[in-house]
Amino acid sequence: MSANNEPNIVAFLCNWCSYAGADLAGTSRVHYPSNVQVIRVMCTGRVNPLYVMNALQQGADGVLVSGCHPGDCHYMEGNYYARRRLGMLKDLMEFVGVDPRRFHMSWVSASEGHKWKEVVEKTVEDAREAGSFEGFRRRQIDW
Amino acid sequence: MSAMLLNKEKWPDFVGKLTGKQLWAPQIKDEQLRFAPVAEGEEPALDYKNTRVPPKNVVFPQTETLFRFQVDGEEVDEPKLDEEVVLLGVRPCDARSMVIVDKLFSWDYDDPYYARRRELVTMVGLACSEPGLNCFCPSVGGGPASTEGLDLLMVDLGENYLLEAITEKGEALINETKELLEETRDANLEQKEKVINEAAQKIKRSIDPEGIPVGLPGLWEDSLWQRVSASCLGCGTCTFLCPTCHCFDIQDETEGFESRRCRTWDSCMFEEYTLHTSGHNPRPSRLERTRNRINHKYNYYVDKFDVIACVGCGRCINLCPVNIDIVEILKQVKEAL
Amino acid sequence: MDLEKLRETAAEVVAREDVKYLIGWKNGSYGYRVAPAFIEDAEGAAELIFSPLCISNLSTYLTLVEKLPLPRGQEPDTRKIALMVKGCDSRAVTQLLVEKGIERDGVVVIGCPCPGMIDYDLLAEKYPETEGLSEVKWTDDGFLVIRDGEETNVTRDELLAEKCRLCRYPNPLISDIMLGEPVETWEPAEDKGVEEVDKKDVNGRWAYWEEQFSNCIRCYSCRNVCPLCYCQDCILDRLNPTWVNRAVNFSENTAFNIARAFHLAGRCIECGECERVCPANIPLGRLNRKMAREVRDKYGFEPGLDPEAEPFQASYKPDDPEDFIL
């Protein structure tokens, strides 16, 4: 989290829907929080749960994974796999004590620029409420 | 060197005197006995056989930063090692292990980190009066009241502890706490002998290492290695919990532009340990790794430093999940010789 | 179980030409210890035992044995491995079949119906180990501990291992040879361990696991003992990319433990081995059982029951729960 209490968010967006959706939000001049660092992946199905862990370890206060609506996956079924896996990950992280507000998943299609804005606002708001996640940072260099 | 008596009633005061320095002692944390720093007002638990994890991480931390640097910078930032540590309640086997490991870290190259930490530590030992089930220290050159590696030895005499200074550091510690101590009488020294003899009687397991170091090379291809390694899981429990195991791995860890070089414990029981960049692994299976563990302790180390790299603390026997028992292995080795 | 029959059957199995060796349990070197036995002949078969101390899951050895390159001209040994399994262990075998980690033709499964195993730590605390071998037997309502010739009757409740209290499958679900009659199943107890953590709030849980994971010494015995952790190239050993740093600190330990538990979600058959072998006493079983419970409740899936099932994380249903999606 930066000095002015702005959370860092890492977002993994699928190439075909959510990335295009976020693009549309930009070209349509929809304003949304600038805390999000977008990483484009080909499909949410290739988001390794360790990406989420590593993002949190390396300084993210919240992580968002967003892809095509069920049934719309460019690769037919990638988002179904992602839904199952990341749903499990969310449960596991909650059990370990990672605030559930730090991890979100959403379906945003290429035409949903406004939904993208809502999703980002919600993610940032939640991460801000959850606060800085210093406890899990990798950079706890102790002598 | 002097010997003094400490009445157990004055024990809290004695500990209180030491907490001025960084004091490490066995404590029960999370239902487990371990060496941990003693905060003011806390009391160490001394009624124990031995800790699960040996105190080697005081002088050889599991993860140690060697230096920090900026990826685009030119300077390195080295750790300042200047805090004196008193290690209280060390068992003689664990103290002896440090003397054995010293030889390695000051062999062809003096390891400055290890040497510095060794200098800063004062070891106050506690002789064993109730040895554990798997202790076999007398077989490998130790004993329940061995003073090797210790600065001060405490012996539990019932109402009192007998404090014997072994080195200058120990003498200094006695001087610091002089007002709490009493002079010893001859009867105390006799009592000490009795306690130690009784403890030695209680040690049930033993091996005779005679002939093992010279004999091991001849058993390189023996079928016994297959037998003893078949059930090995390849985990690092035996080596990480061994007080004399000292292998480490050095890694650079970089986050953005900040980087550090650190060393962490490594285990010869891991597949990754000997893996070459080419993909070739000279110790491809658990058989070779188990053989190496025994050979390193009972052959290579003896060759190089003239001492067996095993202090007989029994930790690897106690905690091996599949009952691989080093005493049994050595018995089989003896039979095969 | 009749030990004579067990040894006789084992001798017959290892005498078969298509069997390489049999993995079972034998007495360990002292006290209550039991060691895995790799039996190749009738003489070895006479050492086999099956007692309340045989808690370890031997199916891990099916995938642990290294597949080394063969010298030129040498044919691979395709003989079967015979394996003694309890109810929980048999689920590991099934799950390995599901994941094609082993082939059905490659194993001879010898089923041992299991009336429940003893928790070693509880036993050793109440009746300290001695240097001689001790024996424990099942009685009608508990265990008989024979230590230095001294016999003690102990109730089942006193010493039963946690995983066995929660057990729902004491009888092997897959076997080629079944030893003895199936035991009567019992009402699984409530999972107090998971509940204890579950009822804390999110910060309490973090604090709880922080304490636990800080103790981890990263010996990887939990990974190695697990019958379902058998990747040739484990992410924890990877250096490029380095998913988990080698440094041992809370952050890395947590990442490692989450990764391990996650990779077992929908695969863990709750044999409790990870928890048993942990030298730092981390209650790893709680993580695994929590995930197993989620998988069962939310997705209606249980691993290790049906060899024809699809692996949980490599399959999906269109109507999987998605209430967590924004």
Side-chain angles (χ1 to χ4, degrees), chain B residues 29-32 34 52-53 62-63 133-134 204-205 227 229-238 240-241 249 251-255 260 262 264-265 269-272 284-289 317-325 328, chain C residues 27-31 33-38 56 60-61 64-66 68 120-121 129-131 211-212 214-225 232 236-239 242 245-249 252 276-282:
Chain B
K29 297 242 156 130
D30 309 331
E31 298 169 24
Q32 224 191 102
R34 64 183 54 180
R52 272 200 179 195
V53 184
Q62 181 156 18
T63 303
L133 196 57
N134 287 316
K204 296 284 160 50
R205 306 205 73 175
R227 280 202 305 280
S229 69
S231 61
C232 177
L233 296 168
C235 74
T237 303
C238 49
F240 280 3
L241 299 184
D249 182 23
Q251 299 271 339
D252 280 5
E253 291 183 352
T254 305
E255 288 296 310
R260 69 158 169 171
C262 64
T264 55
W265 292 356
M269 302 310 283
F270 293 160
E271 183 179 2
E272 197 193 11
S285 69
R286 291 162 297 141
L287 184 150
E288 288 86 1
R289 288 172 223 143
I317 313 177
N318 282 332
L319 288 157
C320 177
V322 291
N323 190 234
I324 293 179
D325 186 329
E328 291 298 316
Chain C
N27 280 321
S29 58
Y30 68 95
R33 304 294 165 125
V34 162
F38 295 76
S56 60
T60 189
Y61 291 108
L64 199 66
V65 176
E66 296 86 358
L68 301 179
Y120 167 82
D121 289 336
E129 258 181 322
T130 54
E131 73 209 271
E211 202 175 292
Q212 300 294 340
S214 302
N215 294 344
C216 176
I217 58 165
R218 300 271 285 280
C219 65
Y220 300 129
S221 56
C222 50
R223 174 192 70 179
N224 289 20
V225 80
Q232 294 266 321
L236 301 170
D237 291 338
R238 274 266 171 129
L239 278 172
T242 313
N245 278 344
R246 297 302 185 273
V248 178
N249 55 38
E252 304 300 335
R276 178 182 73 86
V277 302
C278 180
N281 276 355
I282 302 173

Side-chain angles (χ1 to χ4, degrees), chain C residues 163-193:
Chain C
K163 71 161 178 176
C164 300
R165 290 175 205 271
L166 309 170
C167 177
R168 284 169 300 128
Y169 302 98
N171 292 304
L173 301 175
I174 181 171
S175 67
D176 296 305
I177 303 164
M178 188 69 99
L179 291 167
E181 294 302 309
V183 295
E184 210 177 303
T185 54
W186 52 90
E187 186 63 32
E190 266 178 54
D191 195 340
K192 291 200 186 106

Side-chain angles (χ1 to χ4, degrees), chain B residues 238-258:
Chain B
C238 49
T239 47
F240 280 3
L241 299 184
C242 175
T244 62
C245 274
H246 49 257
C247 289
F248 57 81
D249 182 23
I250 295 181
Q251 299 271 339
D252 280 5
E253 291 183 352
T254 305
E255 288 296 310
F257 283 99
E258 277 180 38

